[in-house]
Amino acid sequence: MGKVIFGMMTSLDGYINDRQGGFDWGHVSEDVHRFAEAEQKREGLAIYGRRMYETMVYWDTADQDESLAPYFRDFSRAWQAIDKIVVSKSLEKVTSKRTRLVRELSADDLRRLKAETEKDISISGPTLAASFLKQGLIDEVSIYYVPVVVGGGTPMFQDVWQTLKLERLDHRAFDNGVLFVRYRVLC
């Protein structure tokens, strides 16, 4: 049984996008992409909210673009290789391979998926993750801190209801200033 990991890339002030919904400040270097690719390969299942899926679905065909650097195409292939679930009441259909759409994902559903999945399960999307954090179902939090302050936007941690205590398990600093930190959720 793998772990359930809530992972995102954020600005230093904790936003996954800026006030206009933009994310162009999140472009990262080859070494960050290679690290994220290795992290992706640890996963057996990725669970997305609608907006995160709409951002990530790009990777379903990016490997076919010969103008992209090899590390982009390699990440694309790693993304394609895992199963994905999109949780959305508003999305009509999914367009990527190995992806299924569900209208809701209960705590019991997540527990069942965790018991059935040998590798880790990633959850991407702050609204979706907030519910599972509240229920104590997230084992780890992984954050790629991008060295930029955007001053507003969508916060990574939404609907915070209590203090969330974390223990640092791992960290890695990259030459472009990005800092990856992995935490265990204590309570």
Side-chain angles (χ1 to χ4, degrees):
M1 177 170 24
K3 296 179 291 293
V4 178
I5 302 168
F6 171 37
M8 301 290 298
M9 183 172 290
T10 75
S11 62
L12 287 180
D13 52 346
Y15 296 100
I16 65 161
N17 56 27
D18 60 29
R19 289 183 177 135
Q20 291 75 40
F23 185 65
D24 57 343
W25 49 265
H27 293 283
V28 295
S29 64
E30 179 175 357
D31 58 337
V32 175
H33 258 281
R34 293 288 182 195
F35 183 84
E37 177 188 339
E39 290 291 297
Q40 185 86 52
K41 289 178 179 178
R42 293 178 36 187
E43 299 171 7
L45 176 64
I47 302 173
Y48 295 103
R50 178 187 56 84
R51 287 181 295 247
M52 272 312 301
Y53 173 71
E54 290 173 342
T55 299
M56 295 300 290
V57 74
Y58 163 81
W59 297 108
D60 196 50
T61 57
D63 65 316
Q64 299 167 21
D65 185 347
E66 294 295 324
S67 69
L68 291 177
Y71 64 91
F72 282 111
R73 295 194 311 270
D74 292 344
F75 180 86
S76 175
R77 287 187 278 276
W79 190 83
Q80 294 168 22
I82 64 168
D83 293 326
K84 293 164 276 300
I85 295 175
V86 180
V87 183
S88 174
K89 290 182 169 107
S90 61
L91 191 65
E92 294 295 320
K93 65 178 184 172
V94 293
T95 57
S96 54
K97 301 169 217 67
R98 299 184 70 153
T99 307
R100 67 184 168 109
L101 175 64
V102 299
R103 296 298 173 207
E104 61 182 47
L105 189 70
S106 71
D108 287 339
D109 293 333
L110 185 56
R111 285 185 196 98
R112 181 184 48 76
L113 288 167
K114 184 176 178 179
E116 295 172 353
T117 305
E118 290 186 27
K119 290 183 161 189
D120 292 339
I121 297 172
S122 70
I123 296 182
S124 297
T127 304
L128 179 63
S131 167
F132 296 127
L133 276 167
K134 278 184 183 178
Q135 297 176 73
L137 297 172
I138 304 289
D139 300 305
E140 292 180 4
V141 174
S142 294
I143 305 173
Y144 292 84
Y145 292 101
V146 178
V148 63
V149 174
V150 298
T154 304
M156 178 173 173
F157 294 98
Q158 297 196 0
D159 196 21
V160 177
W161 70 106
Q162 68 182 35
T163 300
L164 183 64
K165 295 183 181 176
L166 306 171
E167 173 188 20
R168 188 186 62 180
L169 297 174
D170 188 17
H171 69 280
R172 177 169 176 186
F174 296 93
D175 289 343
N176 68 342
V178 169
L179 177 65
F180 172 82
V181 185
R182 183 186 335 272
Y183 300 97
R184 176 182 302 128
V185 177
L186 299 175
C187 63

